[in-house]
Amino acid sequence: MAHTYRDHPDPKKRKAPPKKKLEKPEEREIWVGDTAVIERHFLHLNKLLRAEERSEQDRFQRDFIDQKPEDRERGGKAIYRLELLDVHYNPSGQKLLTFALKTKRPLPRYSLAVGDIVRLSGFQTPEADCPVGAVYERDRTRITVAFSGKLPAWVDRENSFQLSVAANLSTYERMREALRLVKEADHSRIAVLRDISLGLRTPKFDDPVSVTKFPFLDSTLNEIQQKAVCMAHEAKDVLLVHGPPGTGKTRVLIEIIRQAVARSETVLVSAPSNAACDHLVECLAAHKAPVTRLGQPARVSERIREHTFSYKLAAHPFAKMIEENEARLEQISRQKERRQVRRVIEWEERQEMRTEIEQIRKDIRDLRAQIFKQVWNSSDIVVATHVGAADPIIKAKSFDWVIIDEATQGIEPSTWIPMLYAGKVIMAGDHRQLPPTVHSFFKGREGSLALTLFERFYEKLGDDSKIRLERQYRMHENIMNFPSKKFYDGKLVADERVCCHQLTDLPFVNGKGLDLTPAIFLDTAGLGYEEEGEEGTGSWSNPQEAKRVVRELDKILKAGVRPADIAIISPYSAQVKLLTGMMMGDSQDPGEIRELEIDSVDAFQGREKEVVIVSLVRSNSEGEVGFLADTRRMNVAITRAKRKLILVGDSATLCRLPFYDDLLKYMETVGGYQSAWE
């Protein structure tokens, strides 16, 4: 007969049965190996962040010390010889200063964009006395800068000003703090997400959602978009939406957000850039969603300022009462001072005035608190940039969802900021397009902030936590097929509405003298189109190639294509400025220039046009292609066009890289290879 516990031959050696440890659902033991992984990863991130900060500081310092003023202005980093035209205030109480060139000429087109952080200085102003603001508005001749706080006295005395790009180093403090909070998190949602990103924990899911029974608000979503929405509801921790060009990534995100709000859930939406945030606000506002844009009004598009938190505070009915109370407060205070000076005020009267002043101040505080509470409580959807999500105001609200758009454009330390408030996280982006802009590099991508949090999640997660959209609604199939094969495993499918569309399908396009081939490579090899380096900027231009681009543009315009439907893009800012100058000089119709877009490839990511002409610039005997070697930049360039893509470049220089050799071979197969000799 087998012995039982109580029949143990030596009672003294009996051991009590171990007590069962009770754990919370999300809790787990963290063993030493896990702790070491977490510590090592965040130590590495902090090291990279410090290097990036030093690099940015050095870059701005070099701009001020090493570059001549004219080089800085030519490089789009400063505007000199400005005069102050006007001083006024915006609804948020910021002081707005409007400047124009003293020569009355138009401002340089590619310099100091809306939202840029700038330093204001005079002719002989000490560095420490230069206020920093943000570009609020600008047009062809005027630029308005918003400042918070009191401006130095020299601003009123100076008659010549300069604006120059300034480093926004406060963002690094916010990112460091976020990394600290994420690293030290324990038994919380952010700890769960951190561990999943490091492969230390597996994500969890709710019961599967039936696509056929799901109450979609947007009935036009295709099958895979619908599946993405359902997967977002199944995921308890994180879902990645991989959105190649033109596949409707934004529509999926909007549907997820609207579904959450319909269930009375709150959503924090974040993106790395102000432009991406503003686009999401526009889309949500079109659906009458209760959206509030958080951030500096100066860095928000004018189109959506009515949706900003500061605007809503200023537009609240109680705001008028606050203004009246403040006016009354100022009146009583001045009356009291005058009577005190004249010594005609009695003690009782002074006491009454003091009591009234205190009561008015209390009324103002109460009204402001009520406005804040009402506006904030009605903001079911809050939109902010990654760094903007560090605003303390966000801590006053909990969020069921955090949506990260353009997740492959933000560095990991900044992406953690909105995720600190996460219930569940939906990340959307495309790691086959351009990565974040970073200035410091160690060894390989693993040693760089260019490796995004989206990519690390993508490597760690299984198929249940990620989905790729594959039906695109932008490009003719002959434009789509090459990037599909090179970047998306040949899985992209052109929707039937766009697969064969032509320029001649557009109104007013007569097609006269127009080559209807959707994708063209115009080869300038052997024509002597030499590249030129721009002094002081490190950028490149190609004047002869630019002239050929203008000729191609002229053909398209004569065929009836509207200038608003055309974009000319280039990887190099020097070529962008050269083309802009040529067009402004050659055009008989200034309105035509305003409608035609000329910009860099990087700036055009996320955009589209019916016709896109790409000037590749590089032409040299050494086969040097610079950052054209990053094929993700070319993926962006060749996926912006809907109906016609024209690439202009030197095959002899470019084809030393296999990617460009394959591109030319593809163009030959679709009848799109042309020599500029012809």
Side-chain angles (χ1 to χ4, degrees):
M1 183 175 175
H3 288 287
T4 66
Y5 172 77
R6 294 185 181 278
D7 295 326
H8 198 283
D10 189 355
K12 293 181 179 180
K13 293 184 178 180
R14 293 174 188 167
K15 293 183 179 179
K19 294 182 179 179
K20 189 175 180 180
K21 186 177 180 179
L22 299 176
E23 294 182 342
K24 297 179 181 179
E26 292 294 339
E27 290 185 356
R28 69 178 180 92
E29 292 289 331
I30 297 185
W31 53 289
V32 175
D34 291 352
T35 306
V37 169
I38 295 167
E39 190 73 30
R40 185 166 58 250
H41 178 71
F42 284 91
L43 184 67
H44 180 61
L45 280 181
N46 273 294
K47 178 183 176 183
L48 294 176
L49 195 61
R50 284 194 300 272
E52 185 69 12
E53 184 179 20
R54 284 195 301 270
S55 178
E56 186 166 352
Q57 287 176 321
D58 293 344
R59 187 163 52 89
F60 277 97
Q61 195 67 19
R62 285 195 303 272
D63 287 346
F64 274 101
I65 295 175
D66 299 340
Q67 285 192 324
K68 298 176 182 178
E70 53 268 27
D71 289 337
R72 297 189 67 244
E73 191 168 43
R74 192 183 304 116
K77 299 171 183 176
I79 305 177
Y80 297 93
R81 299 171 295 279
L82 293 166
E83 61 178 344
L84 181 61
L85 300 182
D86 187 31
V87 179
H88 53 291
Y89 292 85
N90 66 4
S92 304
Q94 291 177 304
K95 185 173 284 188
L96 305 180
L97 275 61
T98 299
F99 303 91
L101 287 173
K102 300 179 83 173
T103 59
K104 312 301 181 185
R105 297 180 64 185
L107 296 170
R109 184 173 179 184
Y110 292 97
S111 66
L112 308 188
V114 172
D116 282 351
I117 304 298
V118 293
R119 176 182 285 105
L120 175 66
S121 58
F123 186 64
Q124 291 181 328
T125 312
E127 180 80 10
D129 207 19
C130 294
V132 174
V135 178
Y136 190 80
E137 292 172 339
R138 67 162 290 170
D139 55 27
R140 292 184 71 245
T141 59
R142 298 186 175 198
I143 183 168
T144 300
V145 182
F147 296 93
S148 300
K150 190 176 180 181
L151 292 175
W154 64 261
V155 174
D156 296 326
R157 300 191 302 265
E158 187 65 72
N159 59 11
S160 183
F161 299 88
Q162 65 185 45
L163 293 170
S164 48
V165 176
N168 190 10
L169 300 179
S170 64
T171 61
Y172 290 95
E173 288 297 327
R174 294 185 171 189
M175 287 188 280
R176 274 191 287 270
E177 176 62 10
L179 291 180
R180 184 188 69 80
L181 292 172
V182 176
K183 181 176 79 72
E184 296 176 358
D186 190 19
H187 304 316
S188 63
R189 288 297 301 153
I190 195 63
V192 172
L193 293 168
R194 175 201 63 203
D195 292 352
I196 291 172
S197 75
L198 295 172
L200 304 177
R201 193 191 301 251
T202 56
K204 296 180 179 179
F205 307 90
D206 286 329
D207 294 334
V209 176
S210 172
V211 174
T212 57
K213 297 180 180 180
F214 195 85
F216 293 102
L217 299 172
D218 185 351
S219 59
T220 64
L221 295 176
N222 65 41
E223 185 178 346
I224 197 164
Q225 290 172 334
Q226 291 178 345
K227 184 181 178 182
V229 174
C230 291
M231 289 178 67
H233 289 272
E234 295 169 9
K236 295 185 70 173
D237 300 309
V238 61
L239 174 72
L240 305 185
V241 180
H242 181 192
T247 54
K249 164 177 65 69
T250 301
R251 290 179 62 196
V252 171
L253 295 183
I254 297 300
E255 176 71 14
I256 292 170
I257 295 167
R258 292 176 67 200
Q259 289 283 349
V261 172
R263 293 190 305 274
S264 300
E265 295 173 335
T266 53
V267 186
L268 174 61
V269 185
S270 188
S273 69
N274 284 289
C277 288
D278 293 348
H279 177 63
L280 286 165
V281 172
E282 284 189 89
C283 294
L284 289 164
H287 292 286
K288 310 298 182 184
V291 58
T292 297
R293 173 75 157 92
L294 203 62
Q296 277 276 5
R299 310 187 77 178
V300 173
S301 168
E302 189 175 1
R303 300 186 305 274
I304 55 97
R305 278 184 188 159
E306 63 181 277
H307 298 287
T308 61
F309 186 65
S310 55
Y311 186 96
K312 289 183 177 183
L313 293 177
H316 194 280
F318 288 178
K320 186 68 176 175
M321 297 170 62
I322 292 176
E323 290 180 14
E324 293 172 353
N325 277 319
E326 287 177 335
R328 175 61 179 161
L329 182 63
E330 187 175 355
Q331 182 186 0
I332 296 172
S333 299
R334 287 181 178 177
Q335 184 182 357
K336 181 183 175 184
E337 289 174 5
R338 286 197 301 268
R339 293 179 68 85
Q340 283 179 327
V341 170
R342 293 164 55 191
R343 299 182 180 180
V344 294
I345 187 171
E346 300 293 333
W347 184 88
E348 291 85 359
E349 188 179 2
R350 188 164 59 245
Q351 202 64 16
E352 286 178 8
M353 286 183 173
R354 186 182 296 116
T355 302
E356 186 174 3
I357 288 172
E358 290 175 356
Q359 183 60 50
I360 292 173
R361 286 173 175 167
K362 182 180 181 301
D363 291 344
I364 291 173
R365 287 195 302 270
D366 292 344
L367 285 168
R368 283 177 173 161
Q370 288 184 58
I371 293 174
F372 180 93
K373 185 177 180 180
Q374 290 180 19
V375 173
W376 196 233
N377 287 346
S378 63
S379 303
D380 295 329
I381 309 167
V382 176
V383 181
T385 62
H386 293 349
V387 175
D391 193 318
I393 190 177
I394 289 186
K395 296 178 181 178
K397 199 177 191 74
S398 60
F399 296 95
D400 302 297
W401 298 70
V402 171
I403 309 290
I404 308 289
D405 194 15
E406 303 295 351
T408 55
Q409 289 267 283
I411 61 175
E412 180 171 343
S414 70
T415 308
W416 280 117
I417 296 175
M419 290 176 62
L420 289 169
Y421 309 99
K424 75 166 80 177
V425 175
I426 310 298
M427 303 181 78
D430 182 10
H431 51 295
R432 304 302 183 190
Q433 296 188 60
L434 282 171
T437 300
V438 295
H439 304 284
S440 59
F441 291 90
F442 292 85
K443 293 182 179 178
R445 292 184 66 243
E446 290 288 342
S448 166
L449 289 173
L451 181 65
T452 64
L453 186 57
F454 181 98
E455 291 174 274
R456 288 204 301 103
F457 269 120
Y458 203 87
E459 293 170 359
K460 303 291 184 184
L461 297 178
D463 292 340
D464 291 339
S465 295
K466 56 190 178 186
I467 184 171
R468 181 169 66 192
L469 308 178
E470 294 178 342
R471 181 170 291 275
Q472 65 87 18
Y473 299 86
R474 176 186 299 167
M475 298 166 278
H476 189 287
E477 61 183 1
N478 285 4
I479 301 174
M480 174 201 73
N481 284 334
F482 181 77
S484 175
K485 180 182 178 181
K486 282 293 183 180
F487 299 100
Y488 307 108
D489 308 315
K491 295 294 181 64
L492 292 190
V493 177
D495 186 76
E496 61 184 9
R497 288 167 287 183
V498 303
C499 65
C500 298
H501 62 184
Q502 296 277 351
L503 281 176
T504 48
D505 299 332
L506 297 173
F508 311 113
V509 177
N510 55 50
K512 184 179 179 181
L514 185 63
D515 186 344
L516 295 178
T517 307
I520 292 174
F521 188 100
L522 188 60
D523 191 0
T524 64
L527 288 174
Y529 292 3
E530 294 293 330
E531 65 186 32
E532 297 179 2
E534 185 179 57
E535 187 178 353
T537 67
S539 189
W540 295 89
S541 64
N542 193 318
Q544 292 301 315
E545 183 176 292
K547 290 179 181 178
R548 188 55 189 255
V549 167
V550 174
R551 284 169 56 189
E552 295 301 313
L553 173 66
D554 189 55
K555 294 177 186 177
I556 294 168
L557 291 172
K558 286 179 177 177
V561 182
R562 300 182 307 166
D565 291 329
I566 306 170
I568 301 174
I569 61 176
S570 176
Y572 294 96
S573 60
Q575 186 77 343
V576 170
K577 286 182 285 185
L578 175 63
L579 284 162
T580 302
M582 292 173 65
M583 292 302 302
M584 293 180 70
D586 296 342
S587 175
Q588 302 298 314
D589 180 8
E592 186 174 284
I593 297 303
R594 286 194 292 270
E595 292 180 336
L596 173 71
E597 289 198 56
I598 308 174
D599 217 329
S600 67
V601 173
D602 295 46
F604 216 72
Q605 179 159 319
R607 307 283 312 285
E608 62 183 32
K609 289 286 184 178
E610 301 291 350
V611 180
V612 175
I613 306 174
V614 186
S615 178
L616 298 173
V617 178
R618 302 309 298 268
S619 180
N620 55 74
S621 57
E622 294 80 22
E624 293 289 339
V625 297
F627 57 39
L628 286 183
D630 188 343
T631 56
R632 290 172 297 178
R633 179 167 280 103
M634 281 307 300
N635 185 30
V636 173
I638 61 183
T639 55
R640 302 305 96 196
K642 295 181 177 181
R643 301 171 194 261
K644 191 172 185 64
L645 169 70
I646 303 175
L647 300 169
V648 185
D650 181 354
S651 64
T653 299
L654 297 170
C655 288
R656 300 190 188 188
L657 272 68
F659 174 87
Y660 292 99
D661 189 50
D662 292 343
L663 175 61
L664 261 73
K665 290 176 181 176
Y666 172 78
M667 289 295 187
E668 288 178 336
T669 64
V670 296
Y673 174 81
Q674 296 179 10
S675 173
W677 287 92
E678 300 172 0

